[in-house]
Amino acid sequence: MEKELEQIRQKCLNCTKCSLSKTRHNVVFSDGVPNNKLVLVGEAPGYYEDMKGIPFVGKAGQLLDKIFDCVGLSRKKDVYIMNTIKCRPPENRNPLPEEKRACREYLDAQLEILKPKIILICGNVALESLLDLPYGITRARGNWFEGKYNSKMMPIYHPSYLLRNNSREKGSPKWQMWQDIKEVKRVYESL
Ligand code: URA
């Protein structure tokens, strides 16, 4: 698994298929541990990720770590983390369709190698890429969908959305995330 991922990473590091390759500082391929149980697919690198070449290291990433911690999961031991798009879009704008198309082969290759049992689809950009639904993350979150390789896929809110919505009251986005991550842990434990 590691060797195959490394081959794709090398290819991705040299990628010039879209114009983001001209503005990036680093390709942001993945973090965490290659494993076939739990994978998270985010959106695209932001400023800190682009600078470091590691996904989810800014504020949203720190919150993501806390969310995993709450249910006893850790990115160092349990989760493989990657993004839909491997290079930062300028000013953190949403990735363009041609950028998503160009980057798709890397996302597909990563998933094909890992064949994860659980895929967390983090935010709307990942949701649009991985599931063809007539609705967005607010309605999709917290539900299980069947994916390729018998994967169970759950859309969850993006942590940057949670950073903008501070309430922890019942029914709030943070409260919903807490329900979702507990459900993820329950299924994770049963695998
Ligand atoms: N948001 C993402 O979706 N991915 C990152 O790596 C950082 C922020």
Side-chain angles (χ1 to χ4, degrees):
M1 188 189 279
E2 274 88 352
K3 212 171 140 196
E4 287 170 289
L5 286 169
E6 184 52 26
Q7 280 171 358
I8 301 297
R9 194 176 79 90
Q10 287 305 328
K11 189 171 174 197
C12 195
L13 294 185
N14 294 311
C15 182
T16 53
K17 281 167 67 185
C18 83
S19 60
L20 297 182
S21 61
K22 298 196 185 97
T23 49
R24 74 180 174 224
H25 290 92
N26 283 291
V27 171
V28 179
F29 188 71
S30 71
D31 193 34
V33 262
N35 74 93
N36 72 347
K37 267 181 107 173
L38 186 56
V39 163
L40 178 134
V41 182
E43 235 171 78
Y47 173 82
Y48 293 102
E49 290 78 18
D50 178 49
M51 285 300 165
K52 291 198 170 171
I54 306 171
F56 284 103
V57 288
K59 275 203 171 140
Q62 287 159 22
L63 178 56
L64 185 66
D65 290 352
K66 275 194 204 155
I67 291 166
F68 281 129
D69 270 358
C70 282
V71 289
L73 292 168
S74 112
R75 87 148 81 183
K76 292 210 164 54
K77 293 200 306 246
D78 308 306
V79 196
Y80 182 87
I81 296 181
M82 63 176 142
N83 283 313
T84 309
I85 300 288
K86 311 304 188 207
C87 298
R88 182 190 182 205
E91 313 301 324
N92 297 346
R93 63 158 167 73
N94 275 345
L96 302 173
E98 61 265 31
E99 293 160 356
K100 289 199 254 185
R101 266 197 305 277
C103 220
R104 182 74 205 209
E105 71 164 287
Y106 305 114
L107 174 64
D108 284 344
Q110 284 170 300
L111 292 174
E112 179 69 39
I113 294 164
L114 295 161
K115 297 189 174 45
K117 299 208 167 73
I118 299 176
I119 302 173
L120 298 180
I121 301 175
C122 188
N124 261 322
V125 170
L127 180 62
E128 282 164 16
S129 289
L130 292 174
L131 283 172
D132 187 19
L133 298 175
Y135 49 86
I137 196 76
T138 315
R139 183 157 155 208
R141 60 137 283 274
N143 294 293
W144 289 111
F145 296 85
E146 280 300 313
K148 250 179 161 181
Y149 336 106
N150 262 338
S151 304
K152 286 177 183 301
M153 306 202 287
M154 184 188 281
I156 57 171
Y157 285 131
H158 196 284
S160 53
Y161 176 66
L162 300 178
L163 287 171
R164 298 192 298 270
N165 289 273
N166 244 326
S167 165
R168 288 168 189 275
E169 267 179 40
K170 193 171 175 185
S172 67
K174 275 196 172 159
W175 180 87
Q176 290 177 320
M177 180 61 124
W178 175 230
Q179 312 309 308
D180 297 350
I181 200 69
K182 281 192 294 186
E183 167 64 8
V184 169
K185 180 64 186 306
R186 186 187 69 76
V187 171
Y188 179 90
E189 289 291 332
S190 73
L191 294 174

